[in-house]
Amino acid sequence: MSDKRYPEEFKIEAVKQVTERGYSSAEVARRLGVNPNSIYNWVKKYGSGKKHATELDKQVEENRRLRAELKRVTEERDILKKATAYFAKESQ
């Protein structure tokens, strides 16, 4: 295992198991067949991305909420336009 290279995606997924799912580094290393020191090093290198990922998740959720609100408000506006046109026709 000393010269084995792992893809960055593999390392990030291993770190997620430790930082997000709560598994111990030793347990993840044992399950993946990786040296526990490698897991510790990967957590140091990639673990700080958890804060960034959390912020990104918040932004994605806020974006989703705002899109839904925009859709609702746009539909309300269209209904009000049609109602205005209808009542303007009726009053003539």
Side-chain angles (χ1 to χ4, degrees):
M1 277 196 247
S2 61
D3 277 345
K4 194 164 189 179
R5 299 273 181 196
Y6 297 98
E8 190 167 347
E9 296 84 17
F10 178 84
K11 295 174 184 179
I12 291 170
E13 287 301 317
V15 169
K16 283 182 182 179
Q17 289 184 26
V18 174
T19 58
E20 294 177 9
R21 298 185 190 124
Y23 295 111
S24 70
S25 297
E27 182 181 0
V28 173
R30 182 182 44 77
R31 281 191 288 121
L32 297 177
V34 176
N35 185 322
N37 289 331
S38 296
I39 299 289
Y40 291 120
N41 291 334
W42 297 345
V43 168
K44 285 181 189 176
K45 183 175 180 181
Y46 300 107
S48 63
K50 181 181 179 188
K51 182 178 178 184
H52 176 69
T54 303
E55 285 298 316
L56 185 60
D57 290 343
K58 288 179 183 177
Q59 288 176 354
V60 167
E61 183 57 38
E62 177 72 3
N63 192 10
R64 186 177 294 127
R65 186 188 66 77
L66 289 172
R67 285 180 189 267
E69 184 177 348
L70 176 62
K71 182 180 178 184
R72 181 185 58 80
V73 170
T74 302
E75 289 173 352
E76 289 175 0
R77 183 205 61 201
D78 292 345
I79 291 169
L80 290 172
K81 277 185 180 180
K82 289 176 184 177
T84 303
Y86 175 78
F87 288 119
K89 227 191 242 185
E90 287 287 317
S91 66
Q92 291 179 354

